Structures are given as structure tokens and as C-alpha cells.
Amino acid sequence: MKKTERVMENETGGKGSYLKAIVLLAFIAAAVYLVRFSPVKNDFTADALDHLLQMAGFWAAPVFILVYATAVCLFIPGTLLTAIGAALFGVWQGFIYVWVAAMLGASISFVIGRTLGREFAASLVGGTLKKFDDAIERNGFETVLYLRLIYFPFSVLNFGMGLTRVSFLDYFAGTGLGIVVGTFVFTFFIGTIRDIWVSGNWNQLVSAKVFLSLGLFVFSFFIPVIIKKIRGSR
């Protein structure tokens, strides 16, 4: 009797994991369709977002964070939103709002991937894949941090890590630390140009701050190469 019950539970669990995986794939397909082929894509243009945040007034910051987090879950590249955040809020506020928004979106995406896809992914794990899965669990923080520093596609990694055995704490810490440098460099660069634009003092374009922001911006593109060389030399 007990053996029969276990078999029925396994079959139910298996069907449940397949159903969840189908829901996850449907969610991803719907997200891609919405932001690529439907009128919704027009709501994520620079002009549309700028108009929305201007209308939000006092609530511009929380609205921006929610829009950014939603965009992350819908696989929309964060570069545009990061630039808008820096342009509207300046260097420091822009950096904080972008980081918080990116972390919120990354966390939600991870939970969606873990809830809907982990069971199905676990059923496929075997041999080499199991060793890889176990290694991620043991070195979750280092793995996530490394992938963030080499600019692995943000939204893809969010959902992908949810399918592995990495703990949410390791994922959150690795993501939080891993995106700090890139986020700050980009917002510092855009925010600096924004400050000059607002002040109207174009002589500042040849200031030390501008050259520093430009240098950091260029340097950020070499971070993945540096990280790979350091990792390869070990």
C-alpha cells in the first residue's frame, strides 16, 4: 500500500514539475512577445518612461524602481533604464535606485525560476550535470559573483540560477556585490554628463570629473577580461 502511494506521489510530482516548467516557458515566451512584438514595447522607450516619471512627481523614485524591476523580469536590457535613472536622479541617487531596482528584479526572477523550473531541472540532472549542480551549491556565492563581474546576460542568469541548487542567500549576495561596480561606473558617467547639461556650463566637459567618469566607463569593459585572466592564472 505504501509503495503504491509513493509511486502515485512520484507520478504526481513528475506531472507537477512538467506543468510548472510549461508555465515558466509560457511566461518567458509571453515576456519576449510583449516587449518585442506587442504595443507594450512602446511603454519602455526613453520618452515614455521619462513622461511617466515626470507625471509621478514625488513618487518618481518608487515608480522607477518598480518599472525597472518589471523590465528585468521581462528580459528588457537594463542599460536604457540605468541611463534614464542616472539622467533623472543624478549620480548618487541614480546609483542607489538602479541598484535597488536591479536587485528587486533579480530576486523576483530567481524566485520565479526556482518555483516553476527547479523541480523539472532537477529531474534532468545526472552525471556531469549533477556534478555541476553540486559545485554551484558549494560555491554559489563565488559562481554568481564571477558571472556578474563578467557581465553574463543579466535576466538570463536571474532565471537560470533559480534552476540550480544555489541558495538564495548566496545568489543575492553574489548579485548584490557583482553589479555594484558596473552600476556605479555607468551611473557615474551618465550622471556626470547630466549635471553638466543641467548647469549649462559646457566648459566642465574638459574637467577632471568628466575624464574620470569616461576612464571608469571604458575600464568597465575590460573588467570581464581581467577577471577571466585572474581566474585562469589560479
Side-chain angles (χ1 to χ4, degrees):
M1 183 69 178
K2 291 183 178 180
K3 183 176 181 181
T4 302
E5 290 177 353
R6 282 197 296 269
V7 170
M8 292 178 64
E9 287 177 359
N10 290 334
E11 290 179 351
T12 302
K15 291 179 181 178
S17 67
Y18 279 110
L19 179 60
K20 289 179 181 179
I22 291 173
V23 172
L24 177 60
L25 291 175
F27 171 82
I28 294 174
V32 173
Y33 171 78
L34 282 174
V35 300
R36 299 293 182 184
F37 306 106
S38 77
V40 172
K41 67 180 180 180
N42 298 323
D43 295 328
F44 287 92
T45 62
D47 290 338
L49 291 172
D50 181 60
H51 178 67
L52 174 64
L53 295 177
Q54 293 293 343
M55 290 181 58
F58 176 80
W59 299 102
V63 169
F64 170 77
I65 290 173
L66 289 176
V67 170
Y68 195 117
T70 301
V72 169
C73 295
L74 295 178
F75 293 88
I76 297 176
T79 305
L80 171 63
L81 293 168
T82 300
I84 292 175
L88 290 179
F89 301 110
V91 175
W92 299 107
Q93 284 184 304
F95 165 69
I96 293 172
Y97 297 155
V98 167
W99 186 87
V100 170
M103 290 300 297
L104 178 60
S107 298
I108 294 173
S109 301
F110 177 90
V111 172
I112 292 174
R114 176 61 56 89
T115 302
L116 297 179
R118 173 56 194 170
E119 291 180 17
F120 179 72
S123 68
L124 300 179
V125 171
T128 303
L129 287 178
K130 187 176 188 307
K131 293 180 181 178
F132 177 73
D133 204 28
D134 292 341
I136 289 181
E137 183 182 27
R138 290 193 305 271
N139 306 291
F141 172 76
E142 294 84 354
T143 301
V144 175
L145 177 61
Y146 170 72
L147 292 174
R148 293 302 188 192
L149 288 174
I150 65 171
Y151 298 151
F152 193 92
F154 192 72
S155 293
V156 174
L157 186 61
N158 296 336
F159 285 93
M161 278 295 159
L163 304 181
T164 70
R165 293 177 63 179
V166 65
S167 71
F168 177 77
L169 182 59
D170 283 346
Y171 168 80
F172 188 86
T175 296
L177 184 59
I179 68 174
V180 163
V181 175
T183 301
F184 175 74
V185 167
F186 196 55
T187 53
F188 184 70
F189 175 71
I190 298 297
T192 298
I193 302 302
R194 173 256 193 189
D195 291 342
I196 295 174
W197 179 280
V198 171
S199 68
N201 187 0
W202 299 105
N203 292 329
Q204 293 183 16
L205 284 174
V206 292
S207 65
K209 185 178 180 180
V210 170
F211 284 116
L212 175 61
S213 65
L214 182 60
L216 290 173
F217 182 69
V218 173
F219 172 74
S220 67
F221 291 100
F222 292 93
I223 291 178
V225 178
I226 295 172
I227 296 298
K228 288 180 179 180
K229 285 187 177 181
I230 293 175
R231 191 178 179 90
S233 64
R234 292 179 179 177

